Amino acid sequence: MLKDAIDPLTLQYEFAKRYFREFVSSKKHITAYLEPEKTPTLIMDLEGIKSRYLEVKYHFPQFKVYYAVKANDHYDVLRVLAELGSGFEVASSEELRKVLSFGVRPERIISSNPVKPPDFVDYAHQQGVNRFVVDSYAEVDKIARVAPRARVYVRLVVPNEGSDWPLSKKFGVDVDTALDLLLYAQDRGLIPYGITFHVGSQCNNFRNWLIGIKRAVELWNRARLKGLRLQMLNLGGGLPVKYTYEALRIEDIAYYVRGLLQKFMPSMPHELQIEPGRGIVGDQGIMVCRIIGKAKRGEENWLYIDAGVFNGLAEALGGIRYSFYMEQDGDLKEWTVGGVSCDSMDVIARMVPLPEPEIGDYLYILSAGAYTTVYAAEFNGFPKPEVVCV
Ligand SMILES: *Cc1c(COP(=O)(O)O)cnc(C)c1O
């Protein structure tokens, strides 16, 4: 290997090291928790979550923030956000129950899950939640039946290119269908309320917001011509966090979005909403794991850790690449990181630069605050991560 050339492995490791050092030095209060007895442990920084929420509020001043509960539904995470006055986006009765348990009023809750179980709609309606997304005629019928006179907003489909966790195809409709759905909802006694779209999670492509807003504006204007007075525009989630690269900054996305709204929507909607999940909690969590084994298989160096895709790191299967860090010194090697279970799908990452560890050493996984514990099962008898909120 050319010693002088900066190889990608070293660059990646340096990024992880700098990220870890900055994380720890900006959050001194978590230092005491970095060597837990039990692993895997997810350490969540509640102060960090508060500042992220306030940062989003600051940069999106005209917007109401509805935290997407599915990203991390830990009791303390929801509690601090509830105390700050955040709104919540819920998809299920269980999520709703949790949020209501903090005394959050139903006016602070929406459901943007396009296909909702009827018993959830019923429960939400009984609790006073009355804003629901739709993107199909069957859903309009369901809501009209179970939650008469509710307000409905329609979900547009937008491209998800440049999002590390694309959602395309499962949900969303084109502008023509969206307009028809709103009119249909009105006929069914529901209140056509607004428009939403989702640019894809971990979105690092400004263009997706551009296309989403352009389509929303087209729908907005066409709805007006049909006599519908929509009130609300919801920009969904997608705010990215730092993983193995610097993500788009919230202030830059907010600046861009504000520019688009001013340009295309001279008379602003009465209500603007945003539903970040990952963007609030993703980089406020660090997962501490232990090395449980290593092996050389052919040319490949394998490391095995006590977490895996079934007990916390599911997103590794679908495109999320984490930064891994260990405190040891020593020459870097390229590793394949295997999860704790016996399933051959349980591989967390390939081409991971790390020094040679010993069994029992701690391994740190950065940006583990979103979509980790919420996905975790106890497959093969391996525990879900402990969660420590500090
Ligand atoms: C998951 C989800 C979100 C949150 O997405 P992030 O990319 O985590 O911000 C927001 N809105 C809806 C409808 C979702 O399903």
Side-chain angles (χ1 to χ4, degrees):
M1 194 172 68
L2 275 174
K3 267 278 170 235
D4 297 328
I6 310 173
D7 65 299
L9 216 58
T10 309
L11 277 179
Q12 212 189 115
Y13 189 70
E14 288 301 316
F15 184 92
K17 180 159 139 187
R18 204 170 51 244
Y19 183 3
F20 178 82
R21 298 251 161 100
E22 280 168 17
F23 186 85
V24 173
S25 66
S26 67
K27 302 172 186 304
K28 293 261 189 295
H29 58 291
I30 72 161
T31 316
Y33 300 88
L34 286 175
E35 299 191 345
E37 195 157 315
K38 264 181 96 170
T39 50
T41 290
L42 175 66
I43 306 168
M44 292 300 301
D45 174 22
L46 297 179
E47 287 306 313
I49 291 172
K50 286 188 203 169
S51 5
R52 281 294 280 192
Y53 172 81
L54 294 172
E55 206 184 327
V56 173
K57 288 289 291 174
Y58 179 81
H59 291 296
F60 287 89
Q62 303 101 326
F63 285 72
K64 176 97 185 113
V65 178
Y66 293 85
Y67 170 66
V69 172
K70 77 175 183 296
N72 187 323
D73 65 354
H74 191 276
Y75 185 89
D76 291 333
V77 170
L78 299 181
R79 181 180 49 78
V80 294
L81 290 170
E83 283 167 9
L84 286 174
S86 179
F88 294 89
E89 189 277 313
V90 302
S92 64
S93 298
E94 189 51 30
E95 286 185 352
L96 176 56
R97 223 182 325 272
K98 276 191 180 169
V99 170
L100 290 171
S101 76
F102 299 103
V104 173
R105 305 287 310 149
E107 301 80 50
R108 276 164 65 188
I109 303 172
I110 58 175
S111 180
S112 301
N113 172 5
V115 182
K116 296 165 279 299
D119 61 347
F120 162 60
V121 180
D122 190 22
Y123 173 60
H125 177 64
Q126 280 173 34
Q127 295 300 315
V129 174
N130 84 339
R131 289 174 294 171
F132 301 97
V133 84
V134 293
D135 72 350
S136 61
Y137 295 94
E139 194 70 10
V140 172
D141 289 338
K142 183 193 297 167
I143 294 173
R145 193 171 61 244
V146 185
R149 290 180 301 283
R151 289 180 281 173
V152 293
Y153 47 110
V154 68
R155 173 138 160 195
L156 287 170
V157 68
V158 296
N160 278 199
E161 277 111 44
S163 297
D164 286 351
W165 193 263
L167 320 160
S168 51
K169 309 243 171 73
K170 183 168 177 187
F171 297 124
V173 291
D174 58 26
V175 172
D176 288 343
T177 313
L179 180 58
D180 201 49
L181 278 169
L182 289 170
L183 291 166
Y184 182 67
Q186 188 177 45
D187 285 347
R188 300 293 320 260
L190 298 170
I191 301 168
Y193 167 58
I195 304 172
T196 187
F197 58 84
H198 198 305
V199 292
S201 202
Q202 185 66 12
C203 180
N204 272 289
N205 186 355
F206 283 121
R207 217 181 110 75
N208 295 356
W209 280 285
L210 167 69
I211 294 172
I213 287 174
K214 277 183 143 174
R215 285 186 191 166
V217 170
E218 190 196 336
L219 176 58
W220 193 275
N221 293 335
R222 286 177 56 189
R224 190 197 301 264
L225 292 177
K226 292 275 184 192
L228 298 180
R229 287 269 174 260
L230 299 181
Q231 299 171 49
M232 185 283 284
L233 175 64
N234 173 319
L235 298 189
L239 295 182
V241 300
K242 177 156 137 177
Y243 282 100
T244 52
Y245 55 87
E246 296 295 342
L248 294 182
R249 300 185 314 162
I250 289 178
E251 53 261 59
D252 294 334
I253 296 170
Y255 181 80
Y256 183 74
V257 161
R258 267 205 312 276
L260 292 176
L261 291 177
Q262 275 159 14
K263 179 165 173 198
F264 295 115
M265 259 188 151
S267 57
M268 281 286 191
H270 181 61
E271 243 184 289
L272 290 166
Q273 305 178 348
I274 186 167
E275 304 169 330
R278 190 189 305 275
I280 302 279
V281 291
D283 51 14
Q284 303 308 319
I286 184 169
M287 198 179 295
V288 191
C289 307
R290 275 200 181 86
I291 306 294
I292 58 165
K294 42 183 184 170
K296 185 144 182 115
R297 311 201 189 276
E299 287 303 296
E300 213 173 350
N301 297 307
W302 283 78
L303 266 189
Y304 299 85
I305 66 175
D306 54 10
V309 303
F310 301 105
N311 67 337
L313 302 171
E315 284 207 307
L317 289 175
I320 295 295
R321 191 172 165 84
Y322 295 97
S323 280
F324 298 88
Y325 180 70
M326 305 189 68
E327 300 218 74
Q328 283 76 345
D329 289 326
D331 291 343
L332 294 181
K333 267 179 145 173
E334 186 176 313
W335 301 92
T336 298
V337 181
V340 65
S341 77
C342 298
D343 195 296
S344 57
M345 248 176 55
D346 193 1
V347 177
I348 300 154
R350 293 177 193 274
M351 295 191 286
V352 176
L354 287 171
E356 175 99 32
E358 299 299 326
I359 309 300
D361 284 352
Y362 288 111
L363 173 74
Y364 297 102
I365 304 180
L366 292 141
S367 299
Y371 304 113
T372 49
T373 48
V374 284
Y375 275 140
E378 291 180 356
F379 174 57
N380 241 188
F382 295 107
K384 301 178 187 185
E386 293 273 304
V387 182
V388 179
C389 291
V390 297

